[in-house]
Amino acid sequence: WILEGRGKSQGGLPAKTQGQGIMKQSGKKTVVIVGASDQPDRKSYMLLQRLRNNPHYEPVLVNPRLKEIDGIPVSSSLAEVSGKPDVISLYLNAKNSQGLEDAIERLKPGNVIFNPGAENPELMGHLYSRGIQVEEACSLVLLSQNAL
């Protein structure tokens, strides 16, 4: 499942149109990283560092085993996240992302990205059927293309 302009959609779902991110009043896009890590070799940690160094993004971190990463507070679950994030970037495998439907729906994100290894067709289909845009992609690549 790929954004329009980057390829065709898969699984019978229409491709997302470009430019649907909603900017907050602060002028920053909020990106919730679910499965955030404090290990520098992890892709979620790399995304955090790149978001921190980009003035257009505000990272929000979720991991039940961590309290903070590099001085940034970490929520233990999506239930602790408030507001309407522009993007939820998932770094959890399908087994660990089961049961997130209600929490994601409550937040009403602009887009949910299933990073490599986090693919979950059941959750993607559920969210899509509720009007939430979903995408299988690498958040790091999207960020490098100014498409996150």
Side-chain angles (χ1 to χ4, degrees), residues 46-135:
M46 293 176 200
L47 178 63
L48 168 61
Q49 296 308 311
R50 292 183 187 167
L51 291 173
R52 286 179 73 185
N53 292 323
N54 187 319
H56 303 291
Y57 294 94
E58 182 69 33
V60 175
L61 311 178
V62 177
N63 184 318
R65 295 183 301 276
L66 300 171
K67 298 292 183 201
E68 62 91 19
I69 299 174
D70 295 345
I72 299 175
V74 179
S75 297
S76 64
S77 72
L78 275 174
E80 295 180 8
V81 176
S82 61
K84 183 182 184 298
D86 297 290
V87 176
I88 294 178
S89 182
L90 292 176
Y91 285 94
L92 302 176
N93 63 32
K95 179 182 174 185
N96 290 327
S97 65
Q98 288 304 108
L100 293 180
E101 297 92 345
D102 292 341
I104 293 173
E105 285 181 54
R106 177 186 62 82
L107 292 171
K108 297 178 177 47
N111 190 22
V112 178
I113 298 171
F114 291 77
N115 287 279
E119 298 87 351
N120 184 337
E122 185 178 321
L123 178 57
M124 290 179 79
H126 176 86
L127 296 174
Y128 181 79
S129 73
R130 299 298 194 275
I132 296 173
Q133 297 294 327
V134 297
E135 178 176 9

